[in-house]
Each structure stands twice: as C-alpha cells, then as structure tokens.
Coordinates of all heavy atoms in Angstrom, one line a residue:
M1 N 25.3 3.0 -25.0 CA 25.6 1.6 -24.9 C 25.3 0.9 -26.1 O 26.0 0.0 -26.6 CB 24.8 1.1 -23.7 CG 25.1 -0.3 -23.4 SD 24.4 -0.7 -21.8 CE 24.3 -2.5 -21.9
K2 N 24.1 1.3 -26.7 CA 23.7 0.6 -28.0 C 24.7 0.7 -29.1 O 25.0 -0.2 -29.8 CB 22.3 1.1 -28.4 CG 21.5 0.2 -29.2 CD 20.1 0.9 -29.4 CE 19.1 -0.2 -29.9 NZ 17.8 0.4 -30.1
E3 N 25.2 1.9 -29.2 CA 26.2 2.2 -30.2 C 27.5 1.4 -30.0 O 28.1 0.9 -30.9 CB 26.6 3.7 -30.3 CG 25.5 4.6 -30.6 CD 24.6 5.0 -29.4 OE1 25.1 5.0 -28.3 OE2 23.5 5.4 -29.6
R4 N 27.9 1.3 -28.7 CA 29.1 0.6 -28.4 C 28.9 -0.9 -28.7 O 29.8 -1.5 -29.3 CB 29.4 0.7 -26.9 CG 30.7 0.3 -26.5 CD 31.1 0.8 -25.1 NE 32.4 0.5 -24.8 CZ 33.0 0.8 -23.6 NH1 32.3 1.4 -22.7 NH2 34.2 0.4 -23.4
I5 N 27.8 -1.5 -28.5 CA 27.5 -2.9 -28.8 C 27.5 -3.1 -30.3 O 28.2 -4.0 -30.8 CB 26.1 -3.3 -28.3 CG1 26.2 -3.4 -26.7 CG2 25.7 -4.7 -28.8 CD1 24.9 -3.6 -26.0
E6 N 26.9 -2.2 -31.1 CA 27.0 -2.3 -32.5 C 28.4 -2.2 -33.1 O 28.8 -2.9 -34.0 CB 26.1 -1.2 -33.2 CG 24.6 -1.3 -33.0 CD 24.1 -2.7 -33.5 OE1 24.5 -3.1 -34.6 OE2 23.3 -3.3 -32.8
R7 N 29.2 -1.3 -32.5 CA 30.6 -1.2 -32.9 C 31.3 -2.5 -32.6 O 32.1 -2.9 -33.4 CB 31.2 0.0 -32.2 CG 32.6 0.4 -32.6 CD 33.1 1.7 -32.1 NE 33.1 1.8 -30.6 CZ 34.0 1.3 -29.8 NH1 35.1 0.7 -30.3 NH2 33.9 1.5 -28.5
L8 N 31.1 -3.1 -31.5 CA 31.8 -4.3 -31.1 C 31.4 -5.5 -32.0 O 32.2 -6.3 -32.3 CB 31.4 -4.7 -29.6 CG 32.1 -3.9 -28.5 CD1 31.5 -4.2 -27.2 CD2 33.6 -4.1 -28.6
K9 N 30.2 -5.4 -32.5 CA 29.7 -6.5 -33.4 C 30.5 -6.5 -34.7 O 30.7 -7.5 -35.3 CB 28.2 -6.4 -33.7 CG 27.3 -6.8 -32.6 CD 25.9 -6.6 -33.0 CE 24.9 -7.0 -32.0 NZ 23.5 -6.7 -32.4
K10 N 30.9 -5.3 -35.1 CA 31.6 -5.2 -36.4 C 33.1 -5.5 -36.3 O 33.8 -5.8 -37.3 CB 31.5 -3.7 -36.9 CG 30.1 -3.4 -37.2 CD 30.0 -1.9 -37.6 CE 28.5 -1.5 -37.8 NZ 28.3 -0.1 -38.0
L11 N 33.6 -5.6 -35.1 CA 35.1 -5.9 -34.9 C 35.4 -7.4 -35.0 O 34.6 -8.2 -34.6 CB 35.5 -5.4 -33.5 CG 35.5 -3.9 -33.2 CD1 35.8 -3.7 -31.7 CD2 36.4 -3.1 -34.1
T12 N 36.5 -7.7 -35.7 CA 37.0 -9.0 -35.7 C 37.8 -9.4 -34.5 O 37.9 -10.5 -34.1 CB 37.7 -9.3 -37.0 OG1 38.8 -8.4 -37.1 CG2 36.8 -9.2 -38.2
Y13 N 38.5 -8.4 -34.0 CA 39.3 -8.5 -32.8 C 38.8 -7.6 -31.8 O 38.5 -6.4 -32.0 CB 40.8 -8.1 -33.1 CG 41.6 -7.8 -31.9 CD1 42.1 -8.9 -31.1 CD2 41.9 -6.6 -31.5 CE1 42.8 -8.7 -30.0 CE2 42.6 -6.3 -30.3 CZ 43.0 -7.4 -29.6 OH 43.8 -7.1 -28.4
I14 N 38.5 -8.1 -30.6 CA 37.9 -7.2 -29.5 C 39.1 -6.9 -28.5 O 39.6 -7.8 -27.9 CB 36.8 -8.0 -28.8 CG1 35.7 -8.3 -29.8 CG2 36.2 -7.1 -27.6 CD1 34.5 -9.0 -29.3
P15 N 39.4 -5.7 -28.3 CA 40.5 -5.3 -27.4 C 40.1 -5.7 -25.9 O 38.9 -5.8 -25.6 CB 40.5 -3.7 -27.5 CG 39.8 -3.4 -28.8 CD 38.8 -4.5 -29.0
Q16 N 41.1 -5.9 -25.2 CA 41.0 -6.3 -23.8 C 40.1 -5.3 -23.0 O 39.2 -5.7 -22.2 CB 42.4 -6.3 -23.1 CG 42.4 -7.1 -21.8 CD 42.1 -8.6 -22.0 OE1 42.4 -9.2 -23.1 NE2 41.6 -9.2 -21.0
K17 N 40.2 -4.0 -23.3 CA 39.4 -3.0 -22.6 C 37.9 -3.2 -22.9 O 37.0 -3.1 -22.0 CB 39.8 -1.6 -23.1 CG 39.1 -0.5 -22.4 CD 39.7 0.9 -22.8 CE 38.9 1.4 -23.9 NZ 39.3 2.8 -24.3
E18 N 37.6 -3.6 -24.1 CA 36.2 -3.8 -24.5 C 35.7 -5.1 -23.9 O 34.5 -5.2 -23.5 CB 36.1 -3.9 -26.1 CG 36.5 -2.6 -26.7 CD 35.6 -1.4 -26.3 OE1 34.5 -1.6 -25.9 OE2 36.1 -0.2 -26.4
I19 N 36.5 -6.1 -23.8 CA 36.1 -7.4 -23.2 C 35.8 -7.1 -21.7 O 34.8 -7.6 -21.2 CB 37.2 -8.5 -23.3 CG1 37.3 -8.9 -24.8 CG2 37.0 -9.6 -22.4 CD1 38.4 -9.9 -25.1
A20 N 36.6 -6.3 -21.0 CA 36.4 -6.0 -19.6 C 35.0 -5.3 -19.5 O 34.3 -5.6 -18.6 CB 37.5 -5.1 -19.1
W21 N 34.7 -4.4 -20.4 CA 33.5 -3.7 -20.4 C 32.3 -4.6 -20.6 O 31.3 -4.5 -19.9 CB 33.5 -2.6 -21.5 CG 32.2 -1.8 -21.5 CD1 31.8 -0.8 -20.8 CD2 31.1 -2.0 -22.4 NE1 30.6 -0.3 -21.1 CE2 30.1 -1.1 -22.1 CE3 30.8 -3.0 -23.5 CZ2 28.9 -1.0 -22.8 CZ3 29.6 -2.9 -24.1 CH2 28.6 -1.9 -23.8
L22 N 32.5 -5.6 -21.5 CA 31.4 -6.6 -21.7 C 31.2 -7.4 -20.5 O 30.0 -7.7 -20.1 CB 31.8 -7.5 -22.9 CG 31.6 -6.9 -24.3 CD1 32.2 -7.9 -25.3 CD2 30.2 -6.6 -24.6
I23 N 32.2 -7.8 -19.8 CA 32.1 -8.6 -18.6 C 31.4 -7.8 -17.5 O 30.5 -8.3 -16.8 CB 33.5 -9.1 -18.1 CG1 34.0 -10.1 -19.1 CG2 33.4 -9.7 -16.7 CD1 35.5 -10.5 -18.9
E24 N 31.8 -6.5 -17.4 CA 31.2 -5.7 -16.4 C 29.7 -5.5 -16.7 O 28.9 -5.6 -15.8 CB 31.9 -4.3 -16.5 CG 31.3 -3.3 -15.5 CD 32.0 -2.0 -15.6 OE1 33.3 -1.9 -15.6 OE2 31.3 -1.0 -15.8
Q25 N 29.3 -5.3 -18.0 CA 27.9 -5.2 -18.3 C 27.1 -6.5 -18.1 O 26.0 -6.5 -17.6 CB 27.8 -4.8 -19.8 CG 28.3 -3.4 -20.2 CD 27.7 -2.4 -19.3 OE1 26.4 -2.2 -19.2 NE2 28.5 -1.5 -18.7
A26 N 27.8 -7.6 -18.3 CA 27.1 -8.9 -18.0 C 26.9 -9.1 -16.5 O 25.8 -9.5 -16.1 CB 28.0 -10.0 -18.6
E27 N 27.9 -8.7 -15.7 CA 27.8 -8.8 -14.3 C 26.7 -7.9 -13.8 O 25.9 -8.3 -12.9 CB 29.1 -8.5 -13.6 CG 30.2 -9.6 -13.8 CD 31.5 -9.2 -13.3 OE1 31.8 -8.0 -13.1 OE2 32.4 -10.1 -13.2
L28 N 26.6 -6.7 -14.3 CA 25.6 -5.7 -13.9 C 24.2 -6.3 -14.3 O 23.2 -6.2 -13.5 CB 25.8 -4.4 -14.6 CG 26.8 -3.5 -14.0 CD1 27.0 -2.2 -14.9 CD2 26.4 -3.0 -12.6
S29 N 24.1 -6.9 -15.5 CA 22.9 -7.5 -15.9 C 22.4 -8.6 -15.0 O 21.2 -8.7 -14.6 CB 23.0 -8.0 -17.3 OG 21.8 -8.6 -17.8
V30 N 23.4 -9.4 -14.5 CA 23.0 -10.5 -13.6 C 22.5 -9.9 -12.3 O 21.5 -10.4 -11.7 CB 24.2 -11.4 -13.4 CG1 24.0 -12.4 -12.2 CG2 24.5 -12.2 -14.7
K31 N 23.2 -8.9 -11.8 CA 22.8 -8.3 -10.5 C 21.4 -7.7 -10.7 O 20.6 -7.8 -9.7 CB 23.8 -7.2 -10.1 CG 25.1 -7.8 -9.6 CD 26.1 -6.7 -9.2 CE 27.4 -7.2 -8.8 NZ 28.4 -6.2 -8.5
Q32 N 21.2 -7.0 -11.8 CA 19.8 -6.4 -12.0 C 18.8 -7.5 -12.0 O 17.7 -7.3 -11.5 CB 19.8 -5.6 -13.3 CG 20.6 -4.3 -13.2 CD 20.7 -3.6 -14.5 OE1 20.5 -4.2 -15.6 NE2 21.0 -2.3 -14.5
Q33 N 19.0 -8.6 -12.7 CA 18.1 -9.7 -12.8 C 17.8 -10.2 -11.4 O 16.7 -10.5 -11.0 CB 18.6 -10.8 -13.7 CG 17.5 -11.8 -14.0 CD 16.3 -11.3 -14.6 OE1 16.3 -10.4 -15.5 NE2 15.1 -11.8 -14.2
E34 N 18.8 -10.4 -10.5 CA 18.7 -10.9 -9.2 C 17.8 -9.9 -8.4 O 16.9 -10.3 -7.6 CB 20.0 -11.0 -8.5 CG 20.8 -12.2 -9.0 CD 22.2 -12.3 -8.5 OE1 22.7 -11.3 -7.8 OE2 22.9 -13.3 -8.8
I35 N 18.0 -8.6 -8.5 CA 17.2 -7.6 -7.8 C 15.8 -7.7 -8.3 O 14.9 -7.6 -7.5 CB 17.8 -6.2 -8.1 CG1 19.2 -6.1 -7.3 CG2 16.9 -5.1 -7.6 CD1 20.0 -4.8 -7.7
I36 N 15.6 -7.8 -9.6 CA 14.2 -7.9 -10.1 C 13.5 -9.1 -9.5 O 12.3 -9.0 -9.1 CB 14.2 -7.9 -11.7 CG1 14.6 -6.5 -12.2 CG2 12.9 -8.4 -12.2 CD1 14.9 -6.5 -13.7
E37 N 14.2 -10.2 -9.5 CA 13.6 -11.5 -9.0 C 13.3 -11.3 -7.5 O 12.2 -11.8 -7.0 CB 14.5 -12.7 -9.2 CG 14.5 -13.1 -10.7 CD 15.6 -14.2 -11.0 OE1 16.2 -14.7 -10.1 OE2 15.8 -14.4 -12.2
E38 N 14.1 -10.7 -6.7 CA 13.9 -10.5 -5.3 C 12.7 -9.6 -5.1 O 11.9 -9.8 -4.2 CB 15.2 -9.9 -4.6 CG 15.0 -9.6 -3.1 CD 14.7 -10.8 -2.3 OE1 14.9 -12.0 -2.7 OE2 14.1 -10.6 -1.2
N39 N 12.7 -8.5 -5.9 CA 11.5 -7.6 -5.8 C 10.2 -8.3 -6.1 O 9.2 -8.0 -5.5 CB 11.7 -6.4 -6.7 CG 12.8 -5.4 -6.2 OD1 13.1 -5.5 -5.1 ND2 13.3 -4.6 -7.1
K40 N 10.2 -9.2 -7.1 CA 9.1 -9.9 -7.5 C 8.6 -10.8 -6.3 O 7.5 -10.9 -6.0 CB 9.4 -10.8 -8.7 CG 8.5 -10.5 -9.9 CD 9.1 -11.3 -11.1 CE 7.9 -12.0 -11.8 NZ 8.3 -12.7 -12.9
R41 N 9.6 -11.5 -5.7 CA 9.4 -12.4 -4.6 C 8.7 -11.6 -3.4 O 7.7 -12.0 -2.8 CB 10.6 -13.1 -4.1 CG 10.4 -14.2 -3.2 CD 11.7 -14.9 -2.8 NE 12.6 -14.0 -1.9 CZ 12.3 -13.8 -0.6 NH1 11.3 -14.4 0.0 NH2 13.1 -13.0 0.1
Q42 N 9.3 -10.4 -3.1 CA 8.8 -9.6 -2.0 C 7.4 -9.1 -2.4 O 6.5 -9.0 -1.5 CB 9.7 -8.4 -1.8 CG 11.1 -8.8 -1.2 CD 10.9 -9.3 0.2 OE1 10.0 -9.0 0.9 NE2 11.9 -10.2 0.6
Q43 N 7.1 -8.8 -3.6 CA 5.8 -8.4 -4.0 C 4.8 -9.5 -3.8 O 3.7 -9.3 -3.3 CB 5.8 -7.9 -5.5 CG 4.5 -7.3 -5.9 CD 4.6 -6.8 -7.4 OE1 5.4 -7.3 -8.1 NE2 3.6 -6.0 -7.7
E44 N 5.2 -10.7 -4.2 CA 4.3 -11.9 -4.0 C 4.0 -12.1 -2.5 O 2.8 -12.4 -2.1 CB 4.9 -13.1 -4.6 CG 4.9 -13.1 -6.1 CD 5.7 -14.2 -6.8 OE1 6.3 -15.0 -6.0 OE2 5.8 -14.3 -8.0
I45 N 5.0 -11.9 -1.7 CA 4.8 -12.1 -0.2 C 3.9 -11.0 0.3 O 2.9 -11.3 1.1 CB 6.2 -12.0 0.5 CG1 7.0 -13.3 0.2 CG2 6.0 -11.8 2.0 CD1 8.4 -13.2 0.7
T46 N 4.1 -9.8 -0.1 CA 3.2 -8.7 0.3 C 1.8 -8.9 -0.1 O 0.8 -8.7 0.7 CB 3.7 -7.4 -0.3 OG1 5.1 -7.2 0.2 CG2 2.9 -6.2 0.2
V47 N 1.5 -9.3 -1.4 CA 0.2 -9.6 -1.8 C -0.4 -10.7 -1.0 O -1.6 -10.6 -0.6 CB 0.2 -10.0 -3.3 CG1 -1.1 -10.6 -3.8 CG2 0.5 -8.8 -4.2
H48 N 0.3 -11.8 -0.7 CA -0.2 -12.9 0.1 C -0.6 -12.4 1.5 O -1.7 -12.7 2.0 CB 0.8 -14.0 0.2 CG 0.4 -15.2 1.0 ND1 -0.6 -16.0 0.6 CD2 0.8 -15.6 2.2 CE1 -0.8 -16.9 1.5 NE2 0.0 -16.7 2.5
Q49 N 0.3 -11.6 2.1 CA 0.0 -11.1 3.5 C -1.2 -10.2 3.4 O -2.0 -10.2 4.3 CB 1.2 -10.3 4.0 CG 2.4 -11.2 4.4 CD 3.6 -10.4 4.8 OE1 3.8 -9.3 4.4 NE2 4.5 -11.1 5.5
F50 N -1.3 -9.4 2.4 CA -2.5 -8.5 2.2 C -3.8 -9.3 2.2 O -4.8 -8.9 2.9 CB -2.3 -7.6 1.0 CG -3.5 -6.6 0.8 CD1 -3.6 -5.5 1.5 CD2 -4.4 -6.9 -0.2 CE1 -4.7 -4.6 1.3 CE2 -5.5 -6.1 -0.4 CZ -5.6 -4.9 0.3
R51 N -3.8 -10.3 1.4 CA -5.0 -11.1 1.2 C -5.3 -11.8 2.6 O -6.5 -11.9 3.0 CB -4.8 -12.2 0.1 CG -4.9 -11.5 -1.2 CD -4.8 -12.6 -2.3 NE -4.9 -11.9 -3.6 CZ -4.2 -12.3 -4.7 NH1 -3.4 -13.3 -4.6 NH2 -4.3 -11.6 -5.8
Q52 N -4.3 -12.3 3.3 CA -4.6 -12.9 4.6 C -5.2 -11.9 5.5 O -6.1 -12.2 6.3 CB -3.3 -13.5 5.2 CG -2.8 -14.8 4.6 CD -1.5 -15.3 5.2 OE1 -0.6 -14.5 5.5 NE2 -1.4 -16.6 5.4
T53 N -4.6 -10.7 5.5 CA -5.1 -9.6 6.4 C -6.6 -9.3 6.1 O -7.4 -9.1 7.0 CB -4.2 -8.4 6.3 OG1 -2.9 -8.7 6.6 CG2 -4.7 -7.3 7.2
Q54 N -6.9 -9.2 4.8 CA -8.3 -9.0 4.4 C -9.2 -10.1 4.9 O -10.3 -9.8 5.4 CB -8.4 -8.9 2.9 CG -8.0 -7.6 2.2 CD -8.3 -7.6 0.7 OE1 -8.0 -8.6 0.0 NE2 -8.9 -6.5 0.3
E55 N -8.8 -11.3 4.8 CA -9.6 -12.4 5.3 C -9.8 -12.3 6.8 O -10.9 -12.6 7.3 CB -9.0 -13.8 4.9 CG -9.1 -14.1 3.4 CD -8.3 -15.3 3.1 OE1 -7.8 -16.1 4.0 OE2 -8.1 -15.6 1.9
E56 N -8.7 -12.0 7.5 CA -8.8 -11.9 8.9 C -9.7 -10.7 9.4 O -10.5 -10.9 10.3 CB -7.4 -11.6 9.5 CG -7.4 -11.7 11.0 CD -7.7 -13.0 11.7 OE1 -7.6 -14.1 11.0 OE2 -8.1 -13.0 12.9
I57 N -9.7 -9.6 8.6 CA -10.6 -8.5 8.9 C -12.0 -8.9 8.7 O -12.9 -8.6 9.6 CB -10.2 -7.3 8.0 CG1 -8.9 -6.6 8.5 CG2 -11.3 -6.2 8.1 CD1 -8.3 -5.6 7.6
Q58 N -12.3 -9.6 7.6 CA -13.7 -10.1 7.4 C -14.1 -11.0 8.5 O -15.3 -10.9 9.0 CB -13.8 -10.8 6.0 CG -13.6 -9.8 4.8 CD -13.6 -10.5 3.5 OE1 -13.4 -11.8 3.5 NE2 -13.7 -9.8 2.4
H59 N -13.2 -11.9 8.9 CA -13.6 -12.8 10.0 C -13.9 -12.1 11.3 O -14.9 -12.3 11.9 CB -12.4 -13.8 10.2 CG -12.6 -14.7 11.4 ND1 -13.4 -15.8 11.4 CD2 -12.0 -14.7 12.6 CE1 -13.4 -16.4 12.6 NE2 -12.5 -15.7 13.3
L60 N -13.0 -11.1 11.6 CA -13.2 -10.4 12.9 C -14.4 -9.5 12.8 O -15.1 -9.3 13.8 CB -11.9 -9.5 13.1 CG -10.7 -10.3 13.5 CD1 -9.5 -9.4 13.6 CD2 -10.9 -11.1 14.8
S61 N -14.7 -9.0 11.6 CA -15.9 -8.2 11.5 C -17.2 -9.0 11.7 O -18.1 -8.6 12.4 CB -16.0 -7.5 10.1 OG -15.0 -6.6 9.9
G62 N -17.2 -10.2 11.2 CA -18.3 -11.1 11.4 C -18.4 -11.5 12.9 O -19.5 -11.5 13.4
E63 N -17.3 -11.8 13.6 CA -17.3 -12.1 15.0 C -17.9 -10.9 15.8 O -18.7 -11.0 16.7 CB -15.9 -12.4 15.5 CG -15.6 -13.8 15.4 CD -14.3 -14.2 16.1 OE1 -13.8 -13.3 17.0 OE2 -13.7 -15.2 15.8
S64 N -17.4 -9.7 15.4 CA -17.8 -8.5 16.1 C -19.4 -8.3 16.0 O -20.0 -8.0 17.0 CB -17.1 -7.3 15.5 OG -17.6 -6.1 16.1
R65 N -19.9 -8.6 14.8 CA -21.4 -8.5 14.6 C -22.1 -9.5 15.5 O -23.1 -9.2 16.1 CB -21.7 -8.7 13.1 CG -21.5 -7.4 12.3 CD -22.1 -7.6 10.9 NE -21.5 -8.7 10.1 CZ -20.4 -8.5 9.4 NH1 -19.8 -7.4 9.4 NH2 -19.9 -9.5 8.7
R66 N -21.6 -10.7 15.6 CA -22.2 -11.7 16.4 C -22.2 -11.4 17.9 O -23.1 -11.5 18.6 CB -21.5 -13.1 16.1 CG -21.9 -13.7 14.8 CD -21.4 -15.2 14.7 NE -20.0 -15.3 14.8 CZ -19.1 -15.2 13.8 NH1 -19.5 -14.9 12.6 NH2 -17.8 -15.3 14.0
Y67 N -21.0 -10.8 18.3 CA -20.9 -10.4 19.7 C -21.8 -9.3 20.0 O -22.4 -9.2 21.1 CB -19.5 -10.1 20.1 CG -18.5 -11.2 20.2 CD1 -17.3 -11.2 19.6 CD2 -18.9 -12.4 20.8 CE1 -16.4 -12.3 19.7 CE2 -18.1 -13.5 20.9 CZ -16.8 -13.4 20.4 OH -16.0 -14.5 20.5
K68 N -22.0 -8.4 19.1 CA -22.8 -7.2 19.3 C -24.3 -7.7 19.4 O -25.0 -7.2 20.3 CB -22.7 -6.2 18.1 CG -23.5 -5.0 18.3 CD -23.2 -4.0 17.1 CE -24.1 -2.7 17.3 NZ -23.9 -1.8 16.2
K69 N -24.7 -8.6 18.6 CA -26.1 -9.1 18.6 C -26.3 -9.8 20.0 O -27.4 -9.7 20.6 CB -26.4 -10.0 17.5 CG -26.6 -9.3 16.1 CD -26.9 -10.3 15.0 CE -27.1 -9.6 13.7 NZ -27.3 -10.5 12.6
A70 N -25.3 -10.6 20.4 CA -25.5 -11.4 21.6 C -25.5 -10.4 22.8 O -26.4 -10.6 23.7 CB -24.3 -12.3 21.8
L71 N -24.7 -9.4 22.8 CA -24.7 -8.4 23.8 C -26.0 -7.6 23.9 O -26.6 -7.4 25.0 CB -23.5 -7.4 23.6 CG -23.3 -6.4 24.8 CD1 -23.1 -7.1 26.1 CD2 -22.1 -5.5 24.4
E72 N -26.6 -7.3 22.7 CA -27.9 -6.6 22.7 C -29.0 -7.5 23.3 O -29.8 -7.0 24.0 CB -28.2 -6.3 21.2 CG -27.4 -5.1 20.7 CD -27.6 -4.9 19.2 OE1 -28.2 -5.7 18.5 OE2 -27.1 -3.8 18.7
K73 N -28.9 -8.8 23.0 CA -29.9 -9.7 23.6 C -29.8 -9.8 25.1 O -30.7 -9.8 25.8 CB -29.8 -11.2 23.0 CG -30.3 -11.3 21.7 CD -30.2 -12.8 21.2 CE -30.7 -12.9 19.8 NZ -30.6 -14.3 19.3
I74 N -28.5 -9.8 25.6 CA -28.3 -9.9 27.0 C -28.8 -8.6 27.7 O -29.5 -8.6 28.7 CB -26.8 -10.0 27.3 CG1 -26.3 -11.5 26.9 CG2 -26.4 -9.8 28.8 CD1 -24.8 -11.7 26.9
I75 N -28.5 -7.4 27.0 CA -29.0 -6.2 27.6 C -30.5 -6.1 27.6 O -31.1 -5.7 28.6 CB -28.4 -5.0 26.8 CG1 -26.9 -4.9 27.0 CG2 -29.2 -3.7 27.1 CD1 -26.2 -3.9 26.1
T76 N -31.2 -6.6 26.6 CA -32.6 -6.7 26.5 C -33.2 -7.6 27.6 O -34.1 -7.2 28.4 CB -33.1 -7.2 25.2 OG1 -32.6 -6.3 24.1 CG2 -34.6 -7.3 25.1
N77 N -32.6 -8.8 27.8 CA -33.0 -9.7 28.9 C -32.8 -9.1 30.3 O -33.6 -9.2 31.1 CB -32.3 -11.0 28.8 CG -32.7 -11.8 27.5 OD1 -33.8 -11.5 27.0 ND2 -31.9 -12.7 27.1
L78 N -31.6 -8.4 30.5 CA -31.3 -7.8 31.8 C -32.3 -6.6 32.0 O -32.8 -6.5 33.2 CB -29.9 -7.3 31.8 CG -28.8 -8.3 32.0 CD1 -27.4 -7.7 31.9 CD2 -29.0 -9.0 33.3
T79 N -32.6 -5.9 31.0 CA -33.6 -4.8 31.2 C -34.9 -5.3 31.6 O -35.6 -4.8 32.5 CB -33.7 -4.0 29.9 OG1 -32.4 -3.5 29.5 CG2 -34.6 -2.8 30.0
F80 N -35.3 -6.4 30.9 CA -36.6 -7.0 31.3 C -36.6 -7.6 32.7 O -37.5 -7.4 33.5 CB -36.9 -8.2 30.3 CG -38.2 -8.9 30.6 CD1 -39.4 -8.3 30.3 CD2 -38.2 -10.2 31.1 CE1 -40.6 -9.0 30.6 CE2 -39.3 -10.8 31.4 CZ -40.6 -10.2 31.2
A81 N -35.5 -8.2 33.1 CA -35.4 -8.8 34.4 C -35.4 -7.7 35.5 O -36.0 -7.8 36.6 CB -34.1 -9.6 34.6
I82 N -34.7 -6.6 35.2 CA -34.7 -5.4 36.1 C -36.2 -4.9 36.3 O -36.6 -4.6 37.4 CB -33.7 -4.3 35.7 CG1 -32.3 -4.8 35.8 CG2 -34.0 -3.0 36.4 CD1 -31.3 -3.9 35.2
Q83 N -36.8 -4.8 35.2 CA -38.2 -4.3 35.2 C -39.1 -5.2 36.0 O -39.9 -4.7 36.8 CB -38.8 -4.1 33.8 CG -40.1 -3.4 33.7 CD -40.0 -2.0 34.2 OE1 -39.1 -1.2 33.8 NE2 -41.0 -1.6 35.0
V84 N -39.0 -6.5 35.8 CA -39.8 -7.4 36.6 C -39.4 -7.3 38.1 O -40.4 -7.3 38.9 CB -39.5 -8.9 36.1 CG1 -40.1 -9.9 37.0 CG2 -40.1 -9.1 34.7
A85 N -38.2 -7.2 38.4 CA -37.7 -7.1 39.8 C -38.3 -5.8 40.4 O -38.8 -5.8 41.6 CB -36.2 -7.1 39.9
Q86 N -38.3 -4.7 39.7 CA -38.8 -3.4 40.2 C -40.3 -3.6 40.4 O -40.8 -3.1 41.4 CB -38.5 -2.3 39.2 CG -37.1 -1.8 39.2 CD -36.8 -0.7 38.2 OE1 -37.5 -0.6 37.2 NE2 -35.7 0.0 38.4
N87 N -41.0 -4.2 39.5 CA -42.4 -4.4 39.6 C -42.8 -5.2 40.9 O -43.7 -4.9 41.6 CB -43.1 -5.1 38.4 CG -43.0 -4.1 37.2 OD1 -42.9 -2.9 37.4 ND2 -43.2 -4.7 36.0
E88 N -41.9 -6.3 41.1 CA -42.2 -7.1 42.3 C -41.9 -6.4 43.6 O -42.6 -6.5 44.6 CB -41.3 -8.4 42.2 CG -41.7 -9.4 41.2 CD -40.8 -10.6 41.2 OE1 -39.9 -10.7 42.0 OE2 -41.0 -11.5 40.3
L89 N -40.8 -5.5 43.6 CA -40.5 -4.7 44.8 C -41.6 -3.7 45.0 O -42.0 -3.5 46.2 CB -39.2 -4.0 44.6 CG -38.0 -4.8 44.8 CD1 -36.7 -4.0 44.4 CD2 -37.8 -5.4 46.2
E90 N -42.2 -3.1 44.0 CA -43.2 -2.2 44.2 C -44.5 -2.9 44.7 O -45.2 -2.3 45.5 CB -43.5 -1.4 42.9 CG -42.5 -0.4 42.5 CD -42.7 0.2 41.1 OE1 -43.7 -0.1 40.5 OE2 -41.8 0.9 40.7
G91 N -44.7 -4.1 44.2 CA -45.9 -4.9 44.7 C -45.7 -5.2 46.2 O -46.7 -5.3 46.9
D92 N -44.5 -5.5 46.6 CA -44.2 -5.9 48.0 C -44.3 -4.7 48.9 O -44.7 -4.8 50.1 CB -42.8 -6.5 48.2 CG -42.7 -7.9 47.6 OD1 -43.8 -8.5 47.4 OD2 -41.5 -8.4 47.4
V93 N -44.0 -3.5 48.4 CA -44.0 -2.3 49.2 C -45.5 -1.9 49.5 O -45.8 -1.4 50.5 CB -43.2 -1.2 48.5 CG1 -43.4 0.2 49.3 CG2 -41.8 -1.6 48.4
K94 N -46.4 -2.1 48.6 CA -47.7 -1.6 48.7 C -48.5 -2.5 49.6 O -48.6 -3.3 50.3 CB -48.4 -1.6 47.3 CG -47.9 -0.5 46.5 CD -48.6 -0.6 45.1 CE -48.0 0.4 44.2 NZ -48.6 0.5 42.9

C-alpha cells in the first residue's frame, strides 16, 4: 500500500482505477476509525461498570461484617438468656 501511495504522488494524472482505490481506502479508513471509537466507548463503559461493581462489593462486604457482628451479639445474648432460664428452672425444681 505504501508503494502504491508513493507511486500515486508522482503522477500528474491519476487514472480512474486509482481514484476508485483511493476512495475505497478512505472509506475503509473512516470505518476503521468508527470501529476504534466504538471500541473506546465500550471500554470506557466497561471500566465504569467495573468500578461501580468494586464499590458495591466493598459496600456489601462492610454490611456483611456489620450483620455478622450484630448476629454474634444476638447469639451471645440468647445464650446468656438460655443459661439464666436453665438456672431458674433448676432452682425451681430443687
């Protein structure tokens, strides 16, 4: 392609066949640029979605830790309440 372009630069008259080739190359170039721009746009969207997902995971991990701590406190309190109830029942039985 490079050689063909150099040859065309040297011509004073460009044959119709060569003009058609130039037009075809220009059209291909435009299509390639459109594809590149669309790929770039899709990449930006993907990066944005990835970052949002990371933030959501961090948020959910924090919530999960808070729920786990709260559940552990509830279990501790219930265990204590059961123990107290058992002690009272044993005291009533004796």
